[in-house]
């Protein structure tokens, strides 16, 4: 009877245990499939959001650039004048800037005016009129079109005067369009940006499901919001749930073999991990993910997937924030650049127009010319900074180490800068070193001087009263030279210290806005110091002034003691009736030389290219000096120098060049030119060089 009573209980236990396990199995299977669907759904949503964000960011530079160009008075004037030369030279040259295949302009009546295409787009006029109507409302719009050359991305903007920031549609002067052909190169660029495969698909095509792949559809819509094409983005999604399913089958077989063991550990091995998955899916609980990773089998793998998924979310958010910040900073920099370039250009154009078209007395004329000269120098300074920053970014700069007399170098800088300080109650001091350099050092003196000049110029610019000092100390123990530039000027907020050397983060204040500039001097100085193997830092407080410190390696060239050279202040002496050859292909530049030298007793001969300059020098022994342009047709200045020097080694040849970087100057000196003068030309510098080398030539002849 006991057996009979016990047996039904055992059967009931087995049956109830089986029912329990079957229910547990289906629950586990359900939660696994739910996790699979949830992870896949979240990943697809993230991928789709990422694709749309990245494509929007990829188009942002074009929107910024086209907004600047279409809010330009000269562009408005072009619509009226239809000056194709202006368009081709000013706007047509921006194909590379826009990275586009077609630039086109229409007038206010939507009539086609002009285009600048690449060979890939042969269609001339394909912008629909209704798209231009939309621009009157929206100002700027991006859409897609299907043309004979293929599907293109079109970014259009209405052209307005600069005094119409609200872009009133009644003031629309015309329309400007930037077009990019969606070809293989375009797709490769998007593929690289999104880290996924990209392909065209038919609008009506139905996508077959693919295992371990996530995809996103990006519809290309025209101005009327009609789909003209579709891009399919795909990325591998390596999440495998088959092993989990197989494990579930193994569990149910193992259960019937060892029922008691499975019953004892069901909660630990099954329910608890599933509860963790539920908590992760419902709340994203990080503690639950860590506990899930500590479990065994596929649950630990799922925990790793959840953790990786969270990391990808954070990385995507950080990348988005960084991209938006970088885009904002670059847009701000470009806007500031546009302002800084247009400011001196406005002065140059405006006062030139006043001189030409109005009746003014000589005093006003001289005042206007001084303003034009100052604005021109400011514009050249901005361009020089941009070129130097571009070389730094592309790693084209290399130090040119040479033997340098440090004490003489510092004294020369002091004497040079001292005479430039006018109209300011500033005491400018050179702090003598307690232990001056006893020997020549090895460094790049051009870059070292530029760093000191940049820091001193900044200090003087932002100091109205008090003092500006600089000096150096030798640290032989650590083999360093420490430089210090101190001022009692405006000072810098401590929160801005971290941004002061960043090229895109200009510290704006009333004074910095007033003095102007791109704020690249400190970024260039930091790059130069690091190029020399040193470091730079600052201490500053608002209202108390600033102190910049930088150090470079100390390396002596030899053991001989040195003497400090005195500053050369010799007076310029005039020459008479000497023959000067000016090799210059540009008529305006040659005219400038003639006007500068018309009151001097020089005989001027012109060569319009390098070959002609060589022929004149070899056939005319009366040539006393040559002003050689570097960039000329047929034969450039370097090639001409190579042919003249062997025949006339004592003939002074001065290079005249529009290049102004330290590397260009080093190349000119290495080529063997007697000296150089940079454009824009300085009249004082020109006559200083002419007098110097004509006197040398005369002395050589006497000896």
């Amino acid at each position: 009877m006991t057996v009979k009573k016990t047996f039904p209980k055992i059967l009931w236990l087995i049956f109830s245990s089986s029912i329990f396990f079957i229910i547990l199995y289906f629950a586990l299977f359900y939660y696994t499939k739910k996790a699979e669907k949830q992870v896949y759904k979240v990943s697809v949503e993230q991928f789709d959001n990422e694709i749309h964000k990245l494509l929007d960011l990829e188009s942002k530079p074009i929107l910024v650039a086209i907004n600047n160009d279409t809010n330009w008075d000269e562009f408005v004037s072009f619509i009226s004048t239809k000056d194709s030369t202006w368009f081709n030279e000013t706007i047509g040259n921006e194909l590379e800037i826009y990275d586009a295949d077609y630039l086109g302009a229409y007038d206010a009546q939507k009539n086609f005016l002009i285009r600048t295409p690449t060979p890939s787009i042969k269609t001339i006029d394909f912008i629909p009129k209704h798209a231009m109507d939309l621009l009157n409302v929206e100002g700027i719009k991006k859409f897609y079109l299907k043309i004979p050359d293929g599907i293109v991305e079109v970014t259009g903007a209405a052209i307005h005067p600069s005094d119409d920031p609200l872009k009133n549609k009644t003031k629309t002067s015309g329309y400007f369009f930037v077009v990019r052909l969606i070809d293989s190169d375009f797709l490769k660029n998007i593929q690289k940006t999104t880290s996924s495969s990209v392909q065209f698909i038919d609008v009506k095509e139905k996508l077959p499901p693919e295992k371990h792949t996530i995809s996103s559809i990006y519809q290309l819509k025209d101005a009327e919001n009609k789909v003209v094409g579709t891009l399919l983005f795909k990325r591998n999604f390596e999440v495998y749930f088959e092993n989990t399913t197989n494990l579930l089958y193994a569990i149910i077989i193992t259960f019937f073999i060892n029922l008691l063991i499975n019953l004892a550990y069901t909660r630990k091995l099954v329910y608890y991990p599933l509860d963790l998955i539920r908590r992760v899916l419902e709340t994203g609980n990080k503690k639950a993910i860590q506990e899930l990773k500590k479990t065994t089998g596929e649950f630990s793998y799922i925990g790793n997937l959840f953790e990786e998924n969270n990391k990808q979310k954070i990385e995507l958010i950080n990348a988005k924030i960084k991209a938006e910040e970088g885009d904002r900073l670059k847009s701000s920099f470009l806007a500031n650049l546009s302002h800084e370039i247009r400011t001196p250009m406005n002065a140059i154009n405006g006062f030139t127009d006043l001189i030409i078209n109005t009746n003014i007395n000589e005093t006003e004329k001289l005042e206007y010319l001084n303003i034009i000269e100052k604005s021109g120098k400011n514009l050249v300074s901005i361009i020089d900074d941009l070129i130097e920053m571009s070389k730094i970014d592309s790693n084209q700069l290399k130090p040119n180490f040479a033997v340098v007399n440090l004490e003489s170098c510092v004294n020369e800088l002091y004497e040079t800068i001292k005479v430039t300080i006018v109209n300011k109650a500033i005491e400018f001091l050179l702090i003598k070193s307690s232990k001056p350099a006893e020997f020549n050092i090895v460094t790049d003196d051009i870059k070292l001087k530029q760093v000191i000049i940049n820091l001193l110029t900044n200090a003087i610019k932002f100091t109205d009263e008090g003092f500006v000092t600089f000096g150096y100390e030798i640290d032989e123990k650590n083999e360093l030279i420490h430089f210090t530039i101190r001022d009692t000027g405006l000072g810098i907020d401590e929160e801005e210290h971290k941004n002061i050397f960043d090229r895109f983060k200009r510290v704006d204040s009333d004074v910095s806005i007033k003095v102007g500039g791109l704020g690249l001097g400190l970024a260039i100085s930091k790059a130069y110091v690091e190029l020399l193997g040193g470091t730079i830092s600052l201490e500053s407080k608002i209202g108390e002034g600033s102190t910049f410190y930088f150090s470079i390696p100390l390396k002596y060239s030899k053991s001989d003691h040195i003497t400090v050279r005195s500053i050369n202040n010799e007076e310029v002496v005039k020459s008479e009736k000497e023959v000067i050859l000016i090799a210059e292909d540009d008529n305006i530049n040659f005219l400038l030389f003639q006007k500068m030298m018309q009151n001097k007793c020089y005989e001027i001969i012109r060569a319009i290219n390098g070959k002609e300059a060589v022929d004149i020098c070899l056939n005319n022994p009366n040539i006393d000096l040559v002003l050689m342009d570097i960039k000329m047709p047929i034969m450039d200045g370097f090639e001409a120098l190579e042919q003249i020097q062997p025949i006339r080694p004592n003939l002074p040849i001065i290079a005249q060049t529009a290049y102004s970087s330290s590397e260009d100057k080093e190349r000119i000196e290495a080529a063997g030119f007697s000296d150089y003068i940079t454009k824009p030309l300085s009249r004082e510098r020109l006559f200083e060089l002419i007098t110097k080398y004509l006197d040398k030539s005369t002395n050589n002849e006497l000896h």
Side-chain angles (χ1 to χ4, degrees):
M1 292 294 295
T2 304
V3 175
K4 289 182 179 180
K5 290 181 180 180
T6 305
F7 184 69
K9 293 181 180 180
I10 295 174
L11 291 177
W12 171 249
L13 178 62
I14 294 173
F15 177 77
S16 60
S17 298
S18 299
I19 294 296
F20 170 76
F21 181 79
I22 290 171
I23 294 173
L24 179 62
Y25 171 80
F26 282 107
L28 184 60
F29 189 81
Y30 166 76
Y31 276 108
T32 302
K33 288 298 183 181
K34 184 178 179 182
E36 177 182 359
K37 291 179 180 179
Q38 184 68 23
V39 171
Y40 186 83
K41 179 182 178 183
V42 171
S43 298
V44 168
E45 290 175 352
Q46 289 179 348
F47 180 57
D48 188 71
N49 185 51
E50 177 186 350
I51 291 299
H52 284 75
K53 291 287 186 184
L54 289 174
L55 288 177
D56 288 342
L57 286 175
E58 196 269 343
S59 300
K60 198 72 175 288
I62 292 180
L63 295 175
V64 173
I66 199 172
N67 183 60
N68 286 337
D69 280 345
T70 54
N71 195 26
W72 188 10
D73 292 337
E74 289 190 18
F75 211 155
V76 174
S77 298
F78 160 75
I79 298 300
S80 300
T81 62
K82 300 178 178 56
D83 182 0
S84 60
T85 301
W86 179 90
F87 183 91
N88 292 328
E89 292 179 354
T90 306
I91 302 299
N93 287 332
E94 294 185 353
L95 271 174
E96 291 184 1
I97 296 176
Y98 282 104
D99 191 23
D101 299 292
Y102 176 102
L103 301 177
Y106 290 73
D107 62 18
Q109 289 72 41
K110 307 180 182 63
N111 297 316
F112 173 78
L113 294 180
I114 194 169
R115 64 168 188 149
T116 299
T118 61
S120 58
I121 295 185
K122 296 181 174 56
T123 307
I124 297 175
D125 176 12
F126 51 86
I127 305 298
K129 306 299 182 184
H130 59 80
M132 301 181 202
D133 292 333
L134 288 175
L135 295 183
N136 289 333
V137 178
E138 300 183 24
I140 297 177
K141 184 173 181 64
K142 184 180 81 172
F143 54 93
Y144 297 86
L145 288 176
K146 194 167 187 178
I147 64 174
D149 307 286
I151 295 179
V152 294
E153 177 196 75
V154 181
T155 304
I159 301 171
H160 292 265
S162 60
D163 62 353
D164 182 27
L166 298 178
K167 297 191 174 180
N168 187 343
K169 63 182 180 181
T170 61
K171 288 189 178 181
T172 298
S173 301
Y175 308 89
F176 178 55
F177 296 91
V178 178
V179 179
R180 296 194 295 178
L181 182 64
I182 303 181
D183 54 12
S184 57
D185 291 336
F186 183 92
L187 294 180
K188 285 179 182 177
N189 182 49
I190 294 179
Q191 197 162 284
K192 183 178 179 182
T193 302
T194 60
S195 301
S196 58
S197 64
V198 187
Q199 66 183 87
F200 271 111
I201 63 171
D202 188 81
V203 178
K204 300 178 181 179
E205 184 178 340
K206 185 177 180 181
L207 292 178
E210 293 187 38
K211 208 172 187 180
H212 309 311
T213 301
I214 56 176
S215 60
S216 175
I217 295 295
Y218 188 87
Q219 293 182 331
L220 309 178
K221 298 182 179 180
D222 61 14
E224 295 180 323
N225 214 32
K226 295 179 181 179
V227 178
V228 298
T230 306
L231 292 179
L232 173 62
F233 293 83
K234 289 184 179 181
R235 184 182 292 171
N236 290 338
F237 181 69
E238 299 297 337
V239 179
Y240 301 93
F241 286 86
E242 292 86 351
N243 294 336
T244 305
T245 305
N246 294 334
L247 178 63
L248 295 177
Y249 288 116
I251 291 174
I252 196 170
I253 295 173
T254 304
F255 170 78
F256 287 106
I257 297 173
N258 198 350
L259 180 61
L260 294 176
I261 296 176
N262 280 313
L263 287 174
Y265 287 95
T266 295
R267 179 177 179 81
K268 180 179 180 180
L269 297 180
V270 179
Y271 175 76
Y272 181 62
L274 285 177
D275 183 60
L276 293 175
I277 291 174
R278 178 188 59 77
R279 287 160 58 191
V280 172
L281 292 174
E282 290 179 353
T283 64
N285 191 306
K286 293 182 179 180
K287 184 177 179 181
I289 293 176
Q290 295 302 318
E291 292 178 3
L292 189 61
K293 286 177 61 181
K294 295 176 183 178
T295 59
T296 58
E298 294 302 314
F299 293 114
S300 176
Y301 177 63
I302 293 173
N304 289 328
L305 289 177
F306 282 130
E307 184 177 57
E308 185 64 27
N309 186 43
N310 275 358
K311 288 181 179 178
Q312 289 178 355
K313 282 183 182 178
I314 295 171
E315 289 173 359
L316 184 60
I317 292 171
N318 291 336
K320 176 177 175 288
I321 293 172
K322 187 176 180 181
E324 290 176 348
E325 174 69 9
D327 186 63
R328 185 186 66 80
L329 291 174
K330 288 180 180 179
S331 297
S332 175
F333 177 78
L334 288 174
N336 185 42
L337 171 60
S338 175
H339 170 77
E340 293 299 334
I341 289 178
R342 288 176 185 270
T343 298
M345 282 303 300
N346 180 60
I348 293 170
N349 292 338
F351 284 102
T352 301
D353 181 67
L354 286 175
I355 292 172
I356 294 173
N357 298 315
T358 61
N359 294 322
I360 56 175
N361 57 42
E362 287 300 319
T363 301
E364 289 177 317
K365 183 177 181 180
L366 182 59
E367 179 186 356
Y368 294 171
L369 289 173
N370 286 332
I371 293 173
I372 292 171
E373 180 187 26
K374 182 179 179 181
S375 298
K377 289 180 179 179
N378 289 342
L379 189 58
V380 170
S381 175
I382 290 170
I383 294 171
D384 286 344
D385 282 351
L386 285 173
I387 293 173
E388 205 65 15
M389 207 69 248
S390 175
K391 289 187 176 182
I392 291 170
D393 288 340
S394 58
N395 295 320
Q396 293 182 12
L397 289 183
K398 297 186 182 300
N400 183 29
F401 292 112
V403 176
V404 179
N405 184 326
L406 181 59
E407 191 71 10
S408 295
C409 174
V410 170
N411 287 339
E412 288 174 4
L413 286 174
Y414 172 70
E415 294 293 338
T416 301
I417 296 174
K418 181 173 66 173
V419 299
T420 66
I421 303 176
V422 292
N423 301 325
K424 280 196 174 186
I426 298 176
E427 187 177 4
F428 182 52
L429 301 173
L430 171 60
I431 307 301
K432 294 294 184 180
S433 174
S434 59
K435 185 180 180 182
E438 297 180 355
F439 312 103
N440 286 331
I441 66 169
V442 176
T443 190
D444 186 329
D445 62 323
I446 293 177
K447 292 180 176 57
L448 175 60
K449 287 180 180 178
Q450 191 62 51
V451 172
I452 297 175
I453 289 172
N454 285 351
L455 295 177
L456 285 175
T457 302
N458 247 28
I460 294 168
K461 187 187 298 183
F462 294 101
T463 303
D464 291 326
E465 59 182 15
F467 63 81
V468 174
T469 67
F470 80 106
Y472 75 91
E473 290 292 338
I474 300 296
D475 183 357
E476 293 190 350
K477 179 180 179 182
N478 297 311
E479 297 184 342
L480 292 171
I481 307 173
H482 302 295
F483 293 86
T484 303
I485 291 85
R486 181 176 285 108
D487 66 70
T488 57
L490 180 68
I492 304 167
D493 195 307
E494 291 186 14
E495 293 182 358
E496 298 290 350
H497 287 191
K498 62 181 181 297
N499 301 326
I500 196 69
F501 296 108
D502 192 321
R503 72 204 64 174
F504 292 128
K505 294 184 179 179
R506 175 183 173 186
V507 179
D508 285 329
S509 65
D510 292 341
V511 177
S512 64
I513 293 172
K514 180 180 178 181
V515 300
L518 294 177
L520 294 178
L522 291 178
I524 293 173
S525 298
K526 181 175 184 292
Y528 280 177
V529 170
E530 292 176 349
L531 194 68
L532 297 177
T535 57
I536 187 169
S537 61
L538 83 150
E539 294 178 359
S540 182
K541 289 185 178 180
I542 294 292
E544 296 183 12
S546 304
T547 303
F548 283 84
Y549 306 94
F550 74 92
S551 303
I552 62 172
L554 170 64
K555 183 178 180 183
Y556 289 124
S557 64
K558 55 184 179 180
S559 59
D560 296 337
H561 285 269
I562 62 173
T563 57
V564 179
R565 301 190 304 271
S566 61
I567 307 301
N568 182 12
N569 291 319
E570 294 182 1
E571 294 183 358
V572 175
V573 181
K574 291 185 179 179
S575 299
E576 294 182 359
K577 297 182 181 179
E578 286 89 353
V579 180
I580 299 176
L581 171 64
I582 300 178
E584 175 61 67
D585 63 309
D586 187 86
N587 292 331
I588 294 177
N589 284 337
F590 179 70
L591 176 62
L592 180 60
F593 275 113
Q594 283 185 312
K595 294 300 181 182
M596 283 183 172
M597 302 165 70
Q598 65 183 358
N599 295 326
K600 302 290 183 179
C601 296
Y602 302 138
E603 181 181 345
I604 306 298
I605 299 175
R606 182 188 182 187
I608 62 173
N609 57 61
K611 185 177 184 304
E612 188 174 321
V614 173
D615 293 339
I616 293 174
C617 288
L618 299 186
N619 296 318
N620 189 344
N622 294 324
I623 301 296
D624 295 304
L625 182 140
V626 179
L627 293 171
M628 182 77 72
D629 189 18
I630 292 298
K631 188 176 180 181
M632 291 185 293
I634 302 178
M635 182 184 295
D636 65 23
F638 290 109
E639 294 171 322
L641 178 70
E642 289 179 0
Q643 297 194 25
I644 296 172
Q645 271 191 332
I647 309 300
R648 300 193 61 179
N650 296 323
L651 177 63
I653 303 178
I654 299 173
Q656 42 151 326
T657 176
Y659 304 115
S660 60
S661 70
S662 57
E663 284 69 27
D664 297 317
K665 295 174 183 177
E666 290 165 5
R667 185 186 176 199
I668 289 171
E669 292 172 353
F673 282 97
S674 304
D675 217 313
Y676 65 89
I677 184 169
T678 59
K679 299 175 182 177
L681 295 173
S682 166
R683 188 170 180 272
E684 292 77 9
R685 173 65 175 166
L686 175 64
F687 289 132
E688 178 186 343
L689 290 176
I690 291 175
T691 302
K692 174 182 176 181
Y693 287 101
L694 286 181
D695 282 352
K696 281 187 179 181
S697 178
T698 303
N699 292 334
N700 290 335
E701 290 176 2
L702 291 174
H703 289 295

